[in-house]
Amino acid sequence: MTPTALAAATDTHCPYCSLQCGMRLVPGTDRPAEVLERPDFPVNRGALCGKGRSAPALLARNVRLTGPLLRDRPGGPLRAADWPEALDRVATGMARTRARHGPDAVGVFGGGGLTNEKAYLLGKFARVVLGTANIDYNGRFCMSSAAAAHRRAFGLDRGLPFPLADIPHTGCLILVGGNPAETMPPAVRYFRELRENGGKLIVVDPRRTRTAELADLHLQPRPGGDLALALGLLHLVIADGLVDQEFVARRTSGFEQARAAAMAHWPDRVERITGVPVHQLREVAAMFGRAATGMVLTARGPEQQSKGTDTVGAWIDLCLATGKAGRPYSGYGCLTGQGNGQGGREHGQKADQLPGYRSIEDPVAREHVAAVWGVAPESLPGPGRSAYELLDGLGRPDGVRALLLAGSNPAVSAPNANHVTERLRALDLLVVADVVLSETARLADVVLPVTQWAEEDGTTTNLEGRVILRRRALDPPPGVRSELWVLGELAARLGVSTGFPAGAEQVFEELRRASAGGDADYAGIGYERIAAEDGVFWPCPTPDHPGTPRLFLDRFATPDGRARFAAVTHRPAGEEPDGDYPLYLTTGRVLAQYQSGAQTRRVAELNAAAPGPYVELHPRLAGRLGIADGEPVAVTSRRGRAVAPARVTDAIRPDTVFMPFHWAGAGRANSLTNPALDPVSGMPEFKLCAVRVEPVGVGLVGSEPLGSEPLGSEVAKPEPDR
Ligand code: SF4
């Protein structure tokens, strides 16, 4: 079952979402480890969802990779290999590609689930060893629009500018396009406590989700209506005299332009665009505008749009106009998604960034980081392509031809996934480092099995900006290595023999120096301190600095200390419904699965709870199309087709269908999604595209599975001799 049983209880954190719940691992009976609650950890206070409780199932050998795999010829099978052979193949392939086509023909694609240490070393490997500009990561698909809007308004991007524990003390909270009751259930207690304290909770979502059912008021706009909705509320706040003039004058800039933009979004117009009735707009504007304190939280709904940065900017404008930012129990925040969605974007695996949230185009930043790395600043490449642009260019003459991919499964999670899969197949060399044989790993020439959460030390940064420590609780199987070790071995084979230690704490010590003086300053944070304090909030520039749980209380992080209004206007989505594709498709997550499902689809109890994809549609729409509940339906967009059973429910708008995106096969939602990119953040428009829906006979579904795969059906390769 497991090579090394747990010797004792180990306090660590869940491998999945950005809440990074604290948990205690103890020796298991039918699993390598069992999970106990840690009521003392302040974020989740002991509560865990089913994903966290069942996470040790992934440590078992029958669901994971236990040795490297190689493909000897295109189209041939993967076979077991030993580490020297696998690493030699990777290094030789990368060196050959670089020699023939230049450094930018070798690319790196990371993930928001990687620890800070892995993300940091991956960025350093790309810039120092490969010399490529082309490194990006799947976090571009999660929070990049919120990050861009955050930086534009406040000069700094941290998911939440306050701890979750502040939520119960605010007067009115608007949650836009997020469903924590399914994505991070332990966080729901903060929203419940808010209401118990007399605060108001308003949820904006095209679906009546479990979270919306907790709200005082649920607004159900059309997909893509979030920007107009925020502008309409700002319009009403201004018209009703609810602007905090003193705050606007003292702590912001650009209000007049924002006011002019908002005045073009009068209530009737906003009702026509969004479908939200004027009386609800007025109710929300009054509720939020009159509350003494207030928060707006966004999640993937408004962010994963081709206008995501502007949409988040408009919600921030609403906060600024009403004086609800930079004050206790007030502010704008983003509920980040992946486990290290926050830290993963701070330390250099993003195409335009260096560690410490520094810009790769800033000469001072380049000089600082180059000095830490012991290289010349001019040797560092400039910004590379954003995630979808990088994937779209794979195998093309001007694109990446050899790709190292770590902790990501774009064959399922990228938009326009049929096309992305084609591009992955067009590579000269695809190397995938992962825990399991994901759909993307199945396409690889080389698969490198790597350690996971309970088998390694490492830090992550949760959605609050709290840097926390995952502890090694047990040994990995003998054929498995950490990505840190892999990068060091590859660096040595490519001629860089120092600067790539395999120890996580050693890497973190260097990260501290590289981040010093940057926006995300970790210089004062060490492993011992994190363990002693149950996490430290960045920025924390010195060991005696207390950390920064609450940002912006004195000034915003802009050069003049003022927050900047965005002054944006509504525009249509990249693709709106028309005669051929008359419905909106929106996508999202379910309680028992996580992201591309590469991990959670291998956990028996999670698979039993959420065994496959489905298409949610309103009874009126189902009746019009002649579709019965449970019947297979085909959903078709301009990019592809997906088939899944219908789930008929009045929780969704009649003009919209919903699919969860966790599955591969015929029910893959991302076969349909539109890669229209936000011009600022590079975020693809996952949250809406135009589709048509048709019933299909059971016999016409096709032989490809709808998405669920038998547990362990494809792994458990024999461990190679060594
Ligand atoms: S809420 Fe997130 S971090 Fe907590 S147990 Fe569930 S998946 Fe893990």
Side-chain angles (χ1 to χ4, degrees):
M1 179 176 49
T2 180
T4 303
L6 272 179
T10 306
D11 286 351
T12 188
H13 296 270
C14 175
Y16 294 117
C17 86
S18 65
L19 210 54
Q20 287 295 284
C21 292
M23 58 170 59
R24 178 162 299 160
L25 294 180
V26 295
T29 48
D30 60 349
R31 281 184 176 170
E34 296 295 336
V35 169
L36 297 183
E37 294 176 356
R38 271 181 66 196
D40 55 314
F41 186 66
V43 177
N44 59 311
R45 297 186 231 156
L48 295 164
C49 78
K51 296 188 286 286
R53 288 188 187 283
S54 62
L58 286 171
L59 299 165
R61 282 191 180 189
N62 65 336
V63 296
R64 63 168 318 162
L65 293 162
T66 53
L69 302 173
L70 284 186
R71 197 185 306 278
D72 291 320
R73 56 184 168 77
L78 285 167
R79 65 164 171 87
D82 62 20
W83 274 99
E85 185 185 14
L87 293 166
D88 286 347
R89 171 81 76 87
V90 176
T92 306
M94 286 179 160
R96 188 188 305 126
T97 301
R98 190 172 57 178
R100 284 186 187 162
H101 305 290
D104 287 347
V106 185
V108 176
F109 198 93
L114 299 177
T115 60
N116 290 321
E117 292 80 356
K118 292 179 185 180
Y120 170 82
L121 213 60
L122 207 56
K124 181 179 178 184
F125 178 79
R127 274 75 181 233
V128 172
V129 178
L130 301 176
T132 180
N134 284 323
I135 173 168
D136 212 59
Y137 79 126
N138 66 17
R140 180 78 70 171
F141 297 160
C142 288
M143 290 78 58
S144 56
S145 289
H150 232 130
R151 290 179 77 81
R152 191 160 73 180
F154 305 124
L156 184 75
D157 160 46
R158 200 178 83 184
L160 297 181
F162 41 69
L164 282 164
D166 280 8
I167 286 177
H169 305 291
T170 195
C172 181
L173 190 147
I174 307 178
L175 173 60
V176 190
N179 185 13
E182 297 222 37
T183 57
M184 50 177 70
V188 169
R189 68 172 53 183
Y190 295 108
F191 299 101
R192 286 192 201 280
E193 288 170 10
L194 158 73
R195 295 196 65 218
E196 285 161 13
N197 290 344
K200 298 293 182 194
L201 175 63
I202 298 161
V203 171
V204 178
D205 199 306
R207 302 166 62 221
R208 192 178 65 247
T209 60
R210 293 185 196 191
T211 309
E213 284 172 353
L214 303 171
D216 294 281
L217 190 57
H218 172 209
L219 307 187
Q220 206 165 359
R222 288 188 186 96
D226 313 88
L227 174 52
L229 184 61
L231 289 164
L233 294 175
L234 181 57
H235 177 110
L236 285 168
V237 159
I238 294 168
D240 293 347
L242 297 174
V243 172
D244 185 335
Q245 302 287 357
E246 189 274 334
F247 177 87
V248 168
R250 191 168 53 83
R251 298 204 56 190
T252 71
S253 61
F255 175 65
E256 279 313 310
Q257 294 90 324
R259 193 185 70 79
M263 295 325 280
H265 297 78
W266 56 92
D268 289 344
R269 182 183 175 212
V270 171
E271 178 177 319
R272 280 198 300 279
I273 295 171
T274 65
V276 176
V278 169
H279 72 88
Q280 283 194 334
L281 296 172
R282 292 195 186 283
E283 200 176 347
V284 173
M287 230 185 244
F288 190 73
R290 293 188 193 284
T293 53
M295 297 174 176
V296 171
L297 302 182
T298 65
R300 303 303 81 73
E303 299 165 15
Q304 289 180 324
Q305 299 186 24
S306 60
K307 52 179 183 281
T309 304
D310 283 355
T311 301
V312 174
W315 286 103
I316 292 174
D317 282 2
L318 181 67
C319 290
L320 296 178
T322 53
K324 294 182 173 65
R327 286 175 166 166
Y329 310 126
S330 286
Y332 162 76
C334 156
L335 295 177
T336 53
Q338 295 189 77
N340 198 26
Q342 182 64 46
R345 70 195 197 224
E346 296 165 358
H347 297 297
Q349 64 173 333
K350 199 158 171 255
D352 51 358
Q353 283 178 355
L354 290 172
Y357 231 144
R358 290 179 154 95
S359 166
I360 202 165
E361 295 182 276
D362 174 2
V364 177
R366 292 169 67 87
E367 201 167 321
H368 173 86
V369 174
V372 174
W373 288 350
V375 300
E378 56 276 15
S379 72
L380 298 178
R385 300 178 183 192
S386 72
Y388 186 78
E389 294 168 311
L390 192 155
L391 294 172
D392 185 37
L394 295 180
R396 300 187 196 277
D398 64 342
V400 165
R401 291 160 177 262
L403 182 70
L404 169 62
L405 190 143
S408 188
N409 187 16
V412 178
S413 62
N416 199 9
N418 291 327
H419 173 70
V420 167
T421 302
E422 250 175 54
R423 298 322 316 157
L424 287 163
R425 288 187 201 280
L427 284 163
D428 296 340
L429 175 69
L430 174 59
V431 183
V432 174
D434 209 330
V435 171
V436 296
L437 194 65
S438 69
E439 286 74 12
T440 307
R442 287 191 204 181
L443 304 172
D445 302 291
V446 185
V447 180
L448 304 176
V450 289
T451 47
Q452 49 178 316
W453 60 293
E455 299 163 347
E456 57 191 13
D457 289 335
T459 61
T460 60
T461 306
N462 84 345
L463 75 171
E464 306 166 290
R466 186 193 303 256
V467 184
I468 52 109
L469 184 59
R470 287 188 192 159
R471 280 296 193 193
R472 179 179 175 126
L474 69 172
D475 293 336
V480 169
R481 303 282 187 275
S482 159
E483 283 100 329
L484 301 179
W485 180 86
V486 169
L487 292 172
E489 290 291 314
L490 290 176
R493 281 166 170 78
L494 289 163
V496 179
S497 54
T498 58
F500 288 86
E505 189 166 5
Q506 230 180 319
V507 175
F508 190 78
E509 288 302 307
E510 186 181 302
L511 180 158
R512 289 173 67 177
R513 288 188 285 119
S515 75
D519 284 347
D521 191 334
Y522 283 40
I525 305 174
Y527 273 25
E528 270 183 34
R529 182 172 173 190
I530 299 172
E533 298 179 20
D534 258 338
V536 181
F537 289 81
W538 70 258
C540 182
T542 58
D544 58 354
H545 188 283
T548 315
R550 294 172 185 83
L551 293 169
F552 314 137
L553 293 183
D554 301 322
R555 69 190 305 278
F556 295 99
T558 52
D560 64 3
R562 290 168 175 265
R564 297 178 286 230
F565 278 90
V568 293
T569 56
H570 169 72
R571 59 181 189 271
E575 186 177 79
E576 294 282 351
D578 57 20
D580 295 331
Y581 301 94
L583 296 166
Y584 289 106
L585 169 74
T586 190
T587 62
R589 289 170 48 188
V590 300
L591 176 62
Q593 298 287 352
Y594 180 70
Q595 306 297 38
S596 80
Q599 295 155 289
T600 48
R601 282 185 272 123
R602 289 171 168 80
V603 177
E605 55 259 56
L606 298 179
N607 237 8
Y614 56 86
V615 181
E616 203 173 272
L617 69 171
H618 192 275
R620 285 214 300 276
L621 177 64
R624 195 156 49 84
L625 297 174
I627 292 169
D629 191 50
E631 183 183 347
V633 295
V635 184
T636 309
S637 77
R638 289 184 174 82
R639 292 153 295 281
R641 182 176 188 263
V643 176
R647 189 174 286 186
V648 179
T649 168
D650 66 2
I652 191 162
R653 293 175 56 91
D655 57 4
T656 303
V657 296
F658 166 81
M659 287 187 77
F661 64 82
H662 308 289
W663 287 275
R668 182 176 60 184
N670 277 319
S671 299
L672 306 164
T673 47
N674 186 5
L677 301 184
D678 180 286
V680 180
S681 68
M683 168 72 85
E685 193 150 61
F686 287 98
K687 279 297 172 185
L688 73 145
C689 67
V691 296
R692 64 170 182 269
V693 176
E694 297 149 309
V696 289
V698 174
L700 301 177
V701 172
S703 56
E704 201 176 356
L706 292 184
S708 187
E709 294 152 4
L711 191 67
S713 63
E714 58 191 17
V715 218
K717 307 273 181 202
E719 205 173 324
D721 294 329
R722 59 183 58 79

